[in-house]
């Protein structure tokens, strides 16, 4: 998704270190969007970011990684979108059940 495609209701953008550039930060600031992007390790002036919000992003990425362990979801065997979505729901439910 491009930054130009963001809707007007967007309040925050959470990105990884790959999106840490002055151009992206200025583009978001011009549109009054808060950037939650951790600075690169070699950056001299490190802008602040919301660490707790970024941690939630990491949890979501972990869930996608667990979903990709399911071969049916990773290779997308299903032709119909609704069948694929139901496979994702089943896999997510099973992952949640195992976590408990």
């Amino acid at each position: 998704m491009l930054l130009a495609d963001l809707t007007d209701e967007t309040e925050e953008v959470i990105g990884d270190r790959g999106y840490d550039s002055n151009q992206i930060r200025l583009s978001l600031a011009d549109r009054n969007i808060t950037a939650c992007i951790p600075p690169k390790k070699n950056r001299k002036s490190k802008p602040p970011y919301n660490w707790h919000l970024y941690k939630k992003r990491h949890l979501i990425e972990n869930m996608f990684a667990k979903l990709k362990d399911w071969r049916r979801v990773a290779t997308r065997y299903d032709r119909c979108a609704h069948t694929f979505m139901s496979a994702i729901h089943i896999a997510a439910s099973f992952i949640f059940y195992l976590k408990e």
Side-chain angles (χ1 to χ4, degrees), residues 71-84:
R71 185 174 178 200
R72 180 182 193 105
V73 174
T75 57
R76 192 165 178 173
Y77 284 137
D78 305 309
R79 294 182 186 194
C80 299
H82 66 277
T83 310
F84 179 66

Side-chain angles (χ1 to χ4, degrees), residues 37-94:
I37 303 170
K40 290 184 180 178
K41 302 230 184 225
N42 62 352
R43 194 180 244 277
K44 292 182 179 165
S45 64
K46 299 190 188 257
Y49 72 101
N50 187 345
W51 184 80
H52 297 291
L53 184 62
Y54 188 76
K55 190 174 180 180
K56 290 181 183 178
R57 175 189 180 275
H58 180 69
L59 292 174
I60 293 170
E61 283 198 12
N62 286 348
M63 183 62 186
F64 277 109
K66 289 176 186 174
L67 279 174
K68 288 181 182 179
D69 287 343
W70 290 68
R71 185 174 178 200
R72 180 182 193 105
V73 174
T75 57
R76 192 165 178 173
Y77 284 137
D78 305 309
R79 294 182 186 194
C80 299
H82 66 277
T83 310
F84 179 66
M85 186 57 77
S86 63
I88 290 175
H89 284 245
I90 291 170
S93 300
F94 193 78

Side-chain angles (χ1 to χ4, degrees), residues 21-46:
S21 72
N22 292 334
Q23 183 179 5
I24 291 176
R25 288 182 184 275
L26 289 174
S27 172
L28 292 173
D30 289 343
R31 297 173 64 183
N32 294 327
I33 299 173
T34 305
C36 181
I37 303 170
K40 290 184 180 178
K41 302 230 184 225
N42 62 352
R43 194 180 244 277
K44 292 182 179 165
S45 64
K46 299 190 188 257

